[in-house]
mmCIF file of all heavy atoms in Angstrom:
data_model
loop_
_atom_site.group_PDB
_atom_site.id
_atom_site.type_symbol
_atom_site.label_atom_id
_atom_site.label_comp_id
_atom_site.label_asym_id
_atom_site.label_seq_id
_atom_site.Cartn_x
_atom_site.Cartn_y
_atom_site.Cartn_z
ATOM 1 N N ALA A 126 178.474 201.807 111.584
ATOM 2 C CA ALA A 126 179.262 203.044 111.537
ATOM 3 C C ALA A 126 178.739 203.975 112.645
ATOM 4 O O ALA A 126 177.991 203.538 113.525
ATOM 5 C CB ALA A 126 179.138 203.686 110.152
ATOM 6 N N ASP A 127 179.100 205.249 112.589
ATOM 7 C CA ASP A 127 178.707 206.174 113.663
ATOM 8 C C ASP A 127 177.188 206.182 113.941
ATOM 9 O O ASP A 127 176.784 206.086 115.106
ATOM 10 C CB ASP A 127 179.186 207.599 113.336
ATOM 11 C CG ASP A 127 180.699 207.722 113.535
ATOM 12 O OD1 ASP A 127 181.236 207.106 114.474
ATOM 13 O OD2 ASP A 127 181.340 208.423 112.743
ATOM 14 N N PRO A 128 176.349 206.308 112.901
ATOM 15 C CA PRO A 128 174.912 206.370 113.204
ATOM 16 C C PRO A 128 174.393 205.106 113.904
ATOM 17 O O PRO A 128 173.575 205.193 114.823
ATOM 18 C CB PRO A 128 174.261 206.529 111.820
ATOM 19 C CG PRO A 128 175.332 207.143 110.966
ATOM 20 C CD PRO A 128 176.614 206.539 111.465
ATOM 21 N N GLY A 129 174.890 203.946 113.465
ATOM 22 C CA GLY A 129 174.452 202.691 114.094
ATOM 23 C C GLY A 129 174.928 202.605 115.533
ATOM 24 O O GLY A 129 174.182 202.181 116.432
ATOM 25 N N ALA A 130 176.174 203.010 115.763
ATOM 26 C CA ALA A 130 176.721 202.968 117.127
ATOM 27 C C ALA A 130 175.929 203.910 118.039
ATOM 28 O O ALA A 130 175.561 203.540 119.158
ATOM 29 C CB ALA A 130 178.201 203.356 117.098
ATOM 30 N N ASP A 131 175.622 205.111 117.560
ATOM 31 C CA ASP A 131 174.867 206.068 118.371
ATOM 32 C C ASP A 131 173.466 205.527 118.696
ATOM 33 O O ASP A 131 172.962 205.690 119.811
ATOM 34 C CB ASP A 131 174.727 207.409 117.626
ATOM 35 C CG ASP A 131 176.065 208.128 117.491
ATOM 36 O OD1 ASP A 131 176.956 207.887 118.322
ATOM 37 O OD2 ASP A 131 176.205 208.933 116.542
ATOM 38 N N ARG A 132 172.870 204.899 117.707
ATOM 39 C CA ARG A 132 171.524 204.343 117.899
ATOM 40 C C ARG A 132 171.530 203.233 118.960
ATOM 41 O O ARG A 132 170.665 203.174 119.835
ATOM 42 C CB ARG A 132 171.062 203.796 116.540
ATOM 43 C CG ARG A 132 169.729 203.092 116.522
ATOM 44 C CD ARG A 132 169.457 202.721 115.067
ATOM 45 N NE ARG A 132 168.234 201.987 114.884
ATOM 46 C CZ ARG A 132 167.687 201.785 113.685
ATOM 47 N NH1 ARG A 132 168.242 202.262 112.600
ATOM 48 N NH2 ARG A 132 166.569 201.098 113.560
ATOM 49 N N ILE A 133 172.529 202.360 118.881
ATOM 50 C CA ILE A 133 172.630 201.265 119.855
ATOM 51 C C ILE A 133 172.869 201.826 121.258
ATOM 52 O O ILE A 133 172.259 201.398 122.234
ATOM 53 C CB ILE A 133 173.769 200.301 119.463
ATOM 54 C CG1 ILE A 133 173.414 199.580 118.158
ATOM 55 C CG2 ILE A 133 174.039 199.301 120.575
ATOM 56 C CD1 ILE A 133 174.568 198.784 117.558
ATOM 57 N N VAL A 134 173.759 202.796 121.342
ATOM 58 C CA VAL A 134 174.108 203.400 122.634
ATOM 59 C C VAL A 134 172.879 204.045 123.273
ATOM 60 O O VAL A 134 172.606 203.868 124.465
ATOM 61 C CB VAL A 134 175.238 204.434 122.428
ATOM 62 C CG1 VAL A 134 175.358 205.358 123.622
ATOM 63 C CG2 VAL A 134 176.569 203.724 122.183
ATOM 64 N N LEU A 135 172.106 204.774 122.474
ATOM 65 C CA LEU A 135 170.928 205.469 123.002
ATOM 66 C C LEU A 135 169.820 204.482 123.376
ATOM 67 O O LEU A 135 169.353 204.462 124.516
ATOM 68 C CB LEU A 135 170.405 206.478 121.966
ATOM 69 C CG LEU A 135 169.104 207.199 122.339
ATOM 70 C CD1 LEU A 135 169.269 208.029 123.616
ATOM 71 C CD2 LEU A 135 168.632 208.106 121.193
ATOM 72 N N PHE A 136 169.398 203.666 122.422
ATOM 73 C CA PHE A 136 168.241 202.799 122.679
ATOM 74 C C PHE A 136 168.596 201.610 123.567
ATOM 75 O O PHE A 136 167.720 201.012 124.193
ATOM 76 C CB PHE A 136 167.617 202.348 121.355
ATOM 77 C CG PHE A 136 166.841 203.447 120.693
ATOM 78 C CD1 PHE A 136 167.450 204.289 119.767
ATOM 79 C CD2 PHE A 136 165.516 203.682 121.021
ATOM 80 C CE1 PHE A 136 166.747 205.328 119.172
ATOM 81 C CE2 PHE A 136 164.805 204.714 120.435
ATOM 82 C CZ PHE A 136 165.425 205.547 119.509
ATOM 83 N N GLY A 137 169.873 201.275 123.613
ATOM 84 C CA GLY A 137 170.298 200.174 124.475
ATOM 85 C C GLY A 137 170.500 200.603 125.914
ATOM 86 O O GLY A 137 170.905 199.802 126.754
ATOM 87 N N GLY A 138 170.257 201.878 126.212
ATOM 88 C CA GLY A 138 170.360 202.332 127.600
ATOM 89 C C GLY A 138 171.786 202.482 128.082
ATOM 90 O O GLY A 138 172.052 202.459 129.284
ATOM 91 N N ILE A 139 172.730 202.671 127.141
ATOM 92 C CA ILE A 139 174.138 202.812 127.540
ATOM 93 C C ILE A 139 174.442 204.262 127.905
ATOM 94 O O ILE A 139 175.048 204.550 128.926
ATOM 95 C CB ILE A 139 175.092 202.380 126.394
ATOM 96 C CG1 ILE A 139 174.689 201.012 125.814
ATOM 97 C CG2 ILE A 139 176.550 202.404 126.861
ATOM 98 C CD1 ILE A 139 174.836 199.864 126.733
ATOM 99 N N SER A 140 174.028 205.183 127.020
ATOM 100 C CA SER A 140 174.260 206.611 127.255
ATOM 101 C C SER A 140 173.256 207.407 126.403
ATOM 102 O O SER A 140 172.947 206.997 125.274
ATOM 103 C CB SER A 140 175.700 206.970 126.836
ATOM 104 O OG SER A 140 175.871 208.366 126.855
ATOM 105 N N PRO A 141 172.754 208.539 126.915
ATOM 106 C CA PRO A 141 171.774 209.316 126.134
ATOM 107 C C PRO A 141 172.453 210.104 125.014
ATOM 108 O O PRO A 141 172.452 211.340 124.985
ATOM 109 C CB PRO A 141 171.132 210.232 127.178
ATOM 110 C CG PRO A 141 172.166 210.379 128.232
ATOM 111 C CD PRO A 141 172.985 209.121 128.254
ATOM 112 N N ALA A 142 173.026 209.384 124.067
ATOM 113 C CA ALA A 142 173.783 209.999 122.971
ATOM 114 C C ALA A 142 172.868 210.830 122.073
ATOM 115 O O ALA A 142 171.665 210.589 121.990
ATOM 116 C CB ALA A 142 174.438 208.896 122.131
ATOM 117 N N ALA A 143 173.480 211.803 121.374
ATOM 118 C CA ALA A 143 172.733 212.616 120.407
ATOM 119 C C ALA A 143 172.650 211.829 119.096
ATOM 120 O O ALA A 143 173.309 212.151 118.109
ATOM 121 C CB ALA A 143 173.437 213.951 120.199
ATOM 122 N N ALA A 144 171.833 210.784 119.101
ATOM 123 C CA ALA A 144 171.705 209.927 117.919
ATOM 124 C C ALA A 144 170.741 210.541 116.917
ATOM 125 O O ALA A 144 169.770 211.200 117.290
ATOM 126 C CB ALA A 144 171.221 208.545 118.337
ATOM 127 N N VAL A 145 171.039 210.312 115.640
ATOM 128 C CA VAL A 145 170.219 210.856 114.554
ATOM 129 C C VAL A 145 169.880 209.682 113.626
ATOM 130 O O VAL A 145 170.761 208.866 113.336
ATOM 131 C CB VAL A 145 171.024 211.903 113.745
ATOM 132 C CG1 VAL A 145 170.181 212.493 112.632
ATOM 133 C CG2 VAL A 145 171.548 212.998 114.668
#
Side-chain angles (χ1 to χ4, degrees):
D127 286 323
D131 292 335
R132 176 177 178 167
I133 293 170
V134 163
L135 175 61
F136 285 92
I139 311 294
S140 171
V145 181

